[in-house]
């Protein structure tokens, strides 16, 4: 029998179900040696190189490079020794059956079939039960299978017929009961040693209302104090003062306010985003003391009134310029990358939440960003935002810190791939040089990311760069 082996779609990871053969590194009929690269296989997340595990020939290629995705375990090619005939290869392919998904996890070669173990000896047939007693068919089967002697069994069925339950009970091991003695009757012991009998519920009611059980004459069996005996001594609730009408709740009917056009669009987009976008979240905090001090000086020198949010827009824009893999939009099965950062800022307007866009914020200095955000906020509050003010955007910032919100996670604004949620700046204890304890101002940041377009490492690198800019704010004016 010639040495012929299948080369199958390998399985890397528990979630992999299919892969695509990206490139063959050998031509059909070419020889290879152990460790030589055979092909490149792409999965949903990686492109992996597959090396040969033995010397041989790429005898037959069944799946060409760049074709459709193949399920795990599918036959991609046939590997053989030099000199193997085409007839043997054709016979091997005709008789091939897909093996388990793990047959080719490191090279695609399927193991040789193992010898079929000899069948175990059949268990002895049950001994027939010979009896004239009435017994149900199922009970007979169980008794014969277990070899139970049914003579000592007293049948519980009609006319003493032995039932299945009788046989099951007889097969149970005998258990010796542990006798714990008589259960004492519920009782209370008073100061003089006398006993008072009361039900558990009567005791609880008496304790709740501060009623002594010793002074109650029980009306229950053998003089036991019951619930009714205790309730008879509970004082009635005080009557309301004269002239005060009793409280009567009125129906709590809602006021129905239908969605306006803006709220309806916002609801549809956010629902779609939460359903269709696989969110993941990264959280950090940044020291803000240097930025607060620099902002006060810079605003005086530049003659502007830039807010903390304006500085966040500037820092985010510079960060997006360094991390282009986050400055993207997702459209179907494609990712659109942009050269500049168009940052949407979430603004509360009379018509609901809107997200006007600071265009090319990475090219604007602090005076330009402060002027652009102020103009957008004024237009939003006046209800005068236009289509050009809202359309597009490559990233969003939602800041609720001014409302005292410590931390939150925002929903991504499609087709963008990320949004930064900014919480309140808070004074927190910290360790000072020399081991002393002091306080610093920290700002909570949460990055929501679309996992279809941005991986965790890229998002973490983006957040680290942003934190560095906020903690060294002089770089914002470079």
């Amino acid at each position: 029998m010639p040495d012929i082996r299948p080369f199958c779609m390998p399985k890397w990871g528990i979630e992999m179900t299919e892969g695509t053969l990206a490139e063959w590194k050998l031509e059909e009929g070419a020889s290879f040696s152990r460790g030589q690269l055979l092909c490149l296989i792409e999965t949903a997340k990686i492109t992996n190189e597959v090396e040969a595990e033995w010397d041989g020939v790429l005898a037959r290629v069944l799946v060409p490079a760049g074709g459709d995705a193949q399920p795990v375990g599918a036959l991609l090619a046939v590997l053989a020794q030099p000199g193997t005939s085409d007839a043997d290869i054709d016979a091997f392919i005709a008789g091939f059956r897909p093996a388990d998904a793990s047959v080719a996890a490191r090279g695609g070669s399927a193991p040789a079939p193992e010898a079929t173990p000899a069948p175990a000896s059949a268990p002895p047939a049950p001994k027939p039960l010979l009896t004239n007693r009435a017994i149900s068919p199922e009970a007979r089967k169980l008794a014969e299978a277990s070899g139970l002697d049914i003579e000592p069994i007293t049948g519980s069925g009609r006319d003493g017929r032995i039932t299945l339950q009788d046989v099951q009970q007889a097969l149970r091991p005998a258990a010796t009961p542990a006798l714990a003695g008589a259960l004492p009757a519920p009782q209370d012991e008073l100061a003089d040693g006398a006993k008072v009998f009361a039900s558990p519920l009567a005791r609880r009611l008496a304790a709740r209302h501060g009623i002594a059980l010793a002074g109650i004459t029980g009306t229950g069996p053998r003089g036991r104090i019951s619930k009714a005996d205790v309730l008879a001594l509970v004082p009635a609730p005080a009557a309301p003062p004269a002239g005060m009408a009793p409280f009567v709740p009125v129906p709590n009917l809602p006021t129905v306010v239908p969605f306006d056009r803006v709220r309806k669009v916002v609801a549809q987009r956010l629902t779609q985003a939460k359903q269709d976008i696989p969110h993941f979240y990264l959280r950090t905090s940044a020291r803000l003391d240097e930025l607060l001090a620099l902002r006060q000086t810079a605003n005086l020198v530049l003659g502007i009134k830039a807010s903390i949010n304006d500085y966040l827009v500037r820092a985010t824009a510079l960060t997006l310029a360094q991390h282009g893999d986050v400055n993207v939009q997702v459209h179907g099965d494609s990712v659109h990358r942009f050269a500049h950062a168009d940052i949407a800022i979430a603004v509360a307007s009379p018509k609901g939440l809107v997200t006007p866009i600071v265009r090319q914020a990475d090219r604007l200095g602090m005076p330009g960003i402060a002027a652009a955000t102020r103009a957008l906020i004024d237009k939003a509050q006046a209800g005068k935002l236009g289509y050009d003010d809202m359309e597009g955007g490559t990233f969003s910032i939602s800041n609720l810190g001014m409302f005292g919100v410590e931390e939150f996670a925002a929903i991504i604004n499609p087709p963008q791939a990320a949004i930064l949620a900014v919480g309140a700046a808070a004074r927190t204890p910290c360790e000072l040089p020399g081991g002393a304890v002091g306080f610093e101002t920290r700002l909570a940041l949460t990055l929501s990311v679309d996992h279809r377009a941005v991986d965790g490492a890229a998002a973490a690198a983006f957040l680290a760069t942003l934190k560095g800019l906020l903690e060294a704010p002089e770089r914002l004016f470079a």
Side-chain angles (χ1 to χ4, degrees):
M1 178 69 182
D3 188 3
I4 303 176
R5 303 189 186 187
F7 182 79
C8 302
M9 177 63 68
K11 182 177 180 66
W12 297 302
I14 194 171
E15 296 180 355
M16 178 179 172
T17 59
E18 63 181 15
T20 302
L21 207 152
E23 180 182 358
W24 283 107
K25 292 298 184 179
L26 298 174
E27 297 291 337
E28 184 175 286
S31 300
F32 58 84
S33 57
R34 181 177 180 180
Q36 186 174 349
L37 188 60
L38 294 180
C39 65
L40 301 180
I41 292 180
E42 293 182 351
T43 68
K45 288 191 174 183
I46 61 173
T47 299
N48 215 4
E49 298 178 344
V50 181
E51 297 178 353
E53 292 190 342
W54 56 295
D55 299 341
V57 175
L58 183 59
R60 187 75 56 84
V61 173
L62 302 177
V63 177
D68 296 334
Q70 300 294 321
V72 169
L75 184 62
L76 305 179
V78 176
L79 311 181
Q81 293 297 321
T84 305
S85 66
D86 290 341
D88 290 335
I89 295 174
D90 293 337
F92 178 84
I93 295 174
F96 175 79
R97 296 293 180 270
D100 182 69
S102 61
V103 298
R106 295 186 56 193
S109 296
E114 299 180 357
T116 304
S121 58
K127 185 178 180 181
L129 182 63
L130 303 177
T131 182
N132 292 327
R133 298 189 59 184
I135 182 172
S136 70
E138 293 298 324
R140 178 184 290 273
K141 290 180 184 178
L142 180 58
E144 289 177 345
S146 59
L148 178 67
D149 181 11
I150 66 170
E151 293 306 321
I153 299 178
T154 302
S156 61
R158 179 178 297 181
D159 298 329
R161 189 183 192 215
I162 299 175
T163 65
L164 177 61
Q165 290 79 6
D166 297 332
V167 176
Q168 291 173 338
Q169 188 68 24
L171 290 173
R172 291 180 180 175
T176 303
L179 302 179
L183 181 66
Q187 58 185 21
D188 291 338
E189 185 171 347
L190 305 180
D192 57 0
K195 304 293 183 180
V196 58
F197 295 92
S199 68
L201 180 56
R203 288 197 183 94
R204 290 196 295 270
L205 290 172
R208 176 180 298 177
H209 295 284
I211 299 174
L213 292 174
I216 301 178
T217 300
T219 60
R222 294 181 296 171
R224 191 183 193 196
I225 300 174
S226 65
K227 166 188 170 183
D229 299 328
V230 177
L231 290 178
L233 299 177
V234 174
M244 180 180 292
F247 172 74
V248 179
V250 298
N252 187 17
L253 301 178
T255 301
V256 180
V257 181
F259 281 170
D260 58 20
R261 183 178 57 84
V262 174
R263 174 59 61 182
K264 187 177 297 185
V265 172
V266 170
Q268 291 173 350
R269 289 174 61 88
L270 293 182
T271 300
Q272 180 183 5
K274 199 62 176 176
Q275 290 176 343
D276 297 344
I277 298 177
H279 288 60
F280 74 93
Y281 308 95
L282 300 180
R283 294 176 174 83
T284 189
S285 63
R287 187 178 65 254
L288 213 62
D289 300 272
E290 289 81 357
L291 178 60
L292 293 174
L294 181 65
R295 168 178 170 260
Q296 186 174 8
T297 302
N299 284 356
L300 289 174
V301 172
L302 298 175
I304 59 176
K305 294 183 179 180
S307 64
I308 291 294
N309 202 66
D310 295 334
Y311 282 86
L312 279 168
V313 172
R314 171 67 174 166
T316 302
L318 294 179
T319 304
L320 289 171
Q322 299 181 45
H323 298 271
D325 46 2
V326 181
N327 191 40
V328 298
Q329 293 180 351
V330 181
H331 296 270
D333 294 332
S334 62
V335 175
H336 295 193
R337 299 182 181 273
F338 295 86
H340 300 289
D342 294 338
I343 299 180
I345 54 175
V347 178
S349 73
K351 295 185 177 181
L353 181 68
V354 292
T355 53
I357 298 167
V358 181
R359 305 286 178 182
Q360 300 190 12
D362 55 311
R363 302 178 63 186
L364 298 176
M366 282 309 308
I369 289 179
T373 56
R374 184 69 263 169
L376 291 173
I377 292 174
D378 291 343
K379 291 177 71 174
Q381 294 176 347
K384 296 181 178 179
L385 286 173
Y387 179 82
D388 293 338
D389 298 320
M390 305 277 290
E391 182 61 19
T394 62
F395 191 90
S396 292
I397 296 177
S398 180
N399 189 350
L400 295 180
M402 68 285 294
F403 298 105
V405 176
E406 296 179 356
E407 181 182 343
F408 70 103
I411 300 176
I412 297 172
N413 182 22
Q416 299 168 21
I419 183 172
L420 181 69
V422 183
R427 298 287 290 172
T428 59
C430 64
E431 183 179 1
L432 300 177
V437 177
F439 286 86
E440 63 183 7
T441 304
R442 299 200 72 86
L443 186 69
L445 303 172
T446 301
L447 184 67
S448 305
V449 187
D450 184 347
H451 214 331
R452 298 175 302 174
V454 183
D455 292 330
F462 169 87
L463 206 55
T465 302
L466 177 62
K467 178 179 178 180
L469 285 173
L470 294 176
E471 293 184 346
E474 64 277 359
R475 295 159 55 192
L476 298 178
F477 295 90

